[in-house]
Amino acid sequence: MTEKLSKELKEFLFTSFEKKLAVKKGAYLFQEGMVASDIYLVLNGSFKISKVTPDGQELTLRLCSREDLVGELTLFCPGAIYMLSARSMDDKGEVIVIPKLELERKLAENGQLALEFMKWMSLHFRKTQTKFRDLVLNGRKGALYSTLIRMSNSYGVLKEEGILIDLPLTNQELANYCGTSREVVNRMLSELKKKGSISVDRGKITIHDLNFLKQEIHCENCPDELCRID
C-alpha cells in the first residue's frame, strides 16, 4: 500500500496531539456546514467522506482508513466550514483530534514539517483532481470503471482468478462513488459480469480483466499513488 504520510509528519501528528475520539458505526465525525475547528487523523476503522447534492443524491469522494487525514481542506482558512461530511463505517472508528489553530501554529514554527504537510496536500489535491476528471469527462460508465480501478489499487488482493477488491460493497454504495443511481450501476455491473470482466461473491468484486476497464476509459496509467479511492 502507498505510504500515506511521510515518516516525519506521521511521528509529529501521532506524538503532538493526545485527544482521541471513538466514533460508532453510522455516526458523523463532522457534517458539511459545521464550523471547521478540528481536523482528524484516523487511528482505526474507516470513514466515508461524501457530499449531498441539492437534489438529495450522495456523492462519495473518499474512503479513509488508518493514517488518513480528514477535514484537512480547512487548514489556514479563517472562518472555514466543512464542505464535506465524514461518517464512520464500522464500530472500530477512532481518531486523533487535532485542533486546527494549534496545528497551524506548530507548522508555522517548523518549516520542515510545513514542507512535508504541503507535499502531502499536493498529492491529495492531485488525487481529487483525477477523480473529478473521471466523473466529469468519462460519463457514468467511466465513473464506475475508474472507481473499480481505484478500489483495486486501494483494497485489491491479487488472486489466481484476478484482483479481489477486499471490501464488501452494495450497488448503492458503488452508485454513490459514481454520482449516479443504483439502477444504472446494476445494469453496468450485469454487463461486465456477462462479458466475464468481473464477478461478485458475497458483496466483494473480483476484477478478471483490468485491462478491459482501462481501455474503455482510455486510462492514462496514472501512478498508483494517485489512482486510489482513499
Side-chain angles (χ1 to χ4, degrees):
M1 180 174 288
T2 303
E3 188 72 16
K4 298 185 178 184
L5 297 169
S6 69
K7 179 180 178 181
E8 296 81 4
L9 189 56
K10 186 190 306 182
E11 182 178 354
F12 164 68
L13 293 174
F14 273 95
T15 58
S16 300
F17 305 95
E18 298 180 353
K19 183 179 178 181
K20 297 179 182 179
L21 179 67
V23 189
K24 294 183 179 180
K25 182 177 182 179
Y28 282 94
L29 185 57
F30 55 81
Q31 290 181 272
E32 56 182 298
M34 293 174 56
V35 175
S37 56
D38 302 299
I39 68 173
Y40 303 90
L41 176 64
V42 179
L43 289 177
N44 293 298
S46 57
F47 291 82
K48 182 171 66 174
I49 312 301
S50 60
K51 184 174 185 65
V52 177
T53 62
D55 61 359
Q57 184 174 313
E58 183 178 354
L59 174 61
T60 303
L61 296 174
R62 299 172 63 196
L63 183 62
C64 299
S65 54
R66 180 173 172 80
E67 295 182 9
D68 274 322
L69 286 169
V70 293
E72 71 286 339
L73 296 180
T74 64
L75 207 60
F76 294 105
C77 298
I81 61 173
Y82 294 116
M83 300 181 66
L84 304 170
S85 298
R87 184 155 57 98
S88 177
M89 300 306 293
D90 52 55
D91 287 323
K92 299 180 294 183
E94 185 181 20
V95 298
I96 293 178
V97 181
I98 303 174
K100 189 179 74 168
L101 291 177
E102 186 175 349
L103 176 59
E104 291 172 350
R105 178 179 58 79
K106 289 180 180 291
L107 291 178
E109 294 172 351
N110 190 319
Q112 182 58 42
L113 284 176
L115 178 60
E116 293 296 330
F117 196 89
M118 288 174 62
K119 289 179 180 178
W120 181 88
M121 286 295 295
S122 176
L123 177 61
H124 176 64
F125 287 142
R126 291 166 66 199
K127 285 197 291 184
T128 301
Q129 286 175 339
T130 60
K131 289 174 188 175
F132 279 117
R133 175 200 64 194
D134 292 342
L135 287 172
V136 173
L137 298 182
N138 293 324
R140 293 172 176 176
K141 184 174 74 171
L144 174 63
Y145 289 11
S146 66
T147 296
L148 292 175
I149 294 169
R150 291 175 186 280
M151 287 185 168
S152 73
N153 289 331
S154 293
Y155 297 98
V157 178
L158 188 60
K159 300 286 186 179
E160 184 176 346
E161 63 274 18
I163 302 173
L164 170 68
I165 299 176
D166 194 18
L167 178 72
L169 291 163
T170 67
N171 287 2
Q172 182 60 62
E173 287 171 332
L174 267 178
N176 292 345
Y177 282 104
C178 302
T180 188
S181 67
R182 179 173 56 84
E183 290 76 16
V184 170
V185 167
N186 289 347
R187 185 175 67 252
M188 291 191 291
L189 289 177
S190 295
E191 292 173 355
L192 287 173
K193 285 188 280 189
K194 288 178 181 178
K195 293 176 181 177
S197 299
I198 68 166
S199 60
V200 182
D201 182 30
R202 301 175 189 175
K204 292 186 178 181
I205 296 173
T206 297
I207 300 176
H208 303 294
D209 192 348
L210 185 63
N211 286 332
F212 171 78
L213 300 181
K214 290 184 175 182
Q215 290 169 3
E216 286 293 296
I217 63 171
H218 307 290
C219 178
E220 298 177 5
N221 291 313
C222 298
D224 285 355
E225 65 182 6
L226 293 182
C227 189
R228 302 176 63 82
I229 206 68
D230 50 20

